[in-house]
Amino acid sequence: MSAEPKSRARRGVDRLDILDAAFNLFDEVGEISFSIRKLAATIGVDPMTILHHFGSKDELLRAVADYALRSVEMPSATKNWRADLKAVANAYRLLAHRHPRVFPLHFRYNATGPADHISSEIVYCALRRAGLPDASAAGLGLAFYAFVLGFALAEAEGLLKAIGPAEEAELNNLDPKMYHATQDLIPALKNLDPNAVFNDSIEVFISGVADLAKLKPRLVPIPECAAKCA
Amino acid sequence: MSAEPKSRARRGVDRLDILDAAFNLFDEVGEISFSIRKLAATIGVDPMTILHHFGSKDELLRAVADYALRSVEMPSATKNWRADLKAVANAYRLLAHRHPRVFPLHFRYNATGPADHISSEIVYCALRRAGLPDASAAGLGLAFYAFVLGFALAEAEGLLKAIGPAEEAELNNLDPKMYHATQDLIPALKNLDPNAVFNDSIEVFISGVADLAKLKPRLVPIPECAAKCA
DNA sequence: GTCTAAACTCTACACCGTAGAAGTCAAGAG
DNA sequence: CTCTTGACTTCTACGGTGTAGAGTTTAGAC
């Protein structure tokens, strides 16, 4: 048995060509404008060719999401669990910054590819080294992803940036009796720095994890992990 | 000038009828199957009638997202900022549980309706009472939403639940040398309780906020807010 | 050469959002 | 009452979509 799939017919385009082109097109035009027919046109092929490589548009997009995930380089574990969590969070944020159109696909098609296992291994390892028992580590690992992906998604969709004059006017028009805190924060919202917000947030998560580990410390030591991770 | 728009023609359906039907249909069939033509059929009207009330499908969905947000009852502020943050988070999670199909729309169309201002007022107020300076309160308020919405979205999309036999087998097939922590956590992942994870996560966020407030305390007192919120 | 099967293309269908024209009907003016 | 008006609704049509099903091409096995 050879490594090649020993194709007997002509090979105009293969899966990877299509995937790469699909990724680029999607990244460029966004979800609403992306269509199999346009993709077929850009790579000079019949639309049905694409559908015979991938079963349906849905599966194609799933593959695109996975392809994007693989394009970002995941960090390696270090001795510092806090730094490891930051590194993973930064990797996802970088992905969202680089490919804001593709990024939302990860929420629709729950990413379970190897690249994701790599990062989750780091996260789980970090949370255990922080001192959490396994039950908490598992749950908080997933919560960590919910937070990081939610943050990155909000940023990719443009929800997490300094407010402009229009939003400022809207907030100023609210009833001052009911929206006092909101209106007090308008200057801060106008000068919002996404990077600072991200750093603060990660810091909050990390110190919260440390607190929880003190509150509910793990009773059994980490088997072998210490030898591998640290 | 009267309050009514003094309509001169017959009133078959109005905006609210359409909105309500659209919300219910979307909630039932999901985004991919939802279409203006189907919606028109269910309420016995021509598709174009809908498009003349709302400018386009996009604006209709935007209105649906806003309509869903208004359907959830936001809590009132109490004396306890920790309880207030939990209450807001729970309100959004409840919305996601009740309407998992509609919920993702909030990420596409950044919700800026009044209902959202109500909750964000509570959040900002809570963070200031926690002792954060305005700059941190503004940023962490948005980060809080990113976390809560991300968590709720992940849950609505089915990413945040106990793993089944298929996922377990997949994790077991990973290389034990590289995925030690992941495989150790398989029992915990099989018994994952979403509610417990949510509570842990909120607790982590809250104690992290308290830590940050100690690290970077606000120097100026909260103007008037104390009289209103507490 | 022939044979075979994988890769690809063609045709066709049902459905979509929506522009633009035409129709319909309640309410005020005479 | 009739007539006008204009907001509301519907009709028709167009260019687009995903994809099922049948037909065509082509590279390697013999």
Side-chain angles (χ1 to χ4, degrees), chain A residues 2 5 30 39 43 47 63 68 72 83 86-87 128 179 198 200 212 220 226:
Chain A
S2 70
L39 173 60
I43 57 182
V72 64
K86 283 185 201 172
R128 297 218 291 181
Y179 298 98
F198 181 74
D200 268 6
L212 186 65
V220 294

Side-chain angles (χ1 to χ4, degrees), chain A residues 8-10 12-13 45-46 48-49 52-53:
Chain A
R8 288 227 266 161
R10 107 203 90 146
V13 294
V45 100
D46 189 271
M48 288 310 291
T49 299
H52 281 137
H53 276 275

Side-chain angles (χ1 to χ4, degrees), chain B residues 151-172:
Chain B
F151 192 99
L153 184 58
E155 225 177 343
E157 304 261 356
L159 273 70
L160 221 146
K161 57 175 196 278
I163 63 174
E167 290 102 330
E168 182 184 356
E170 189 190 341
L171 294 181
N172 270 320

